[in-house]
Amino acid sequence: LENPTGKEHYLDFRNSNPTNFDVIPDKLVLPPFETIQVRIQYSPTNLDVMESGNIVFENALIGKWRYYVEGKGLVPTIMEP
């Protein structure tokens, strides 16, 4: 997410599916003229089913970023020792 202004801004976000998707970090601050990376963590609650959601980041002065996210849980495999 990019801040095109010379001032620090806080971002709010809305997550339509917090059961399956988490925004990391949960407090977002955009430094002046900087870009930050936000991680979306998927935690499946079903196997072989596509789960989806919408995440919107926003600030009154900068605007909105809208993302459609989806993930599919897979059957666990044998892990290395």
Side-chain angles (χ1 to χ4, degrees), residues 26-42:
D26 60 350
K27 298 204 189 286
L28 303 173
V29 180
L30 280 172
F33 301 114
E34 294 284 331
T35 300
I36 63 168
Q37 290 187 4
V38 177
R39 186 166 60 119
I40 307 300
Q41 182 173 307
Y42 171 61

Side-chain angles (χ1 to χ4, degrees), residues 1-7 9 11 30-35 59 61-63 65:
L1 304 174
E2 184 177 353
N3 181 356
T5 72
K7 293 185 178 181
H9 294 283
L11 291 178
L30 280 172
F33 301 114
E34 294 284 331
T35 300
N59 176 279
L61 296 173
I62 298 175
W65 294 267

Side-chain angles (χ1 to χ4, degrees), residues 15-29:
N15 179 357
S16 69
N17 185 352
T19 301
N20 297 117
F21 300 96
D22 286 320
V23 176
I24 301 170
D26 60 350
K27 298 204 189 286
L28 303 173
V29 180

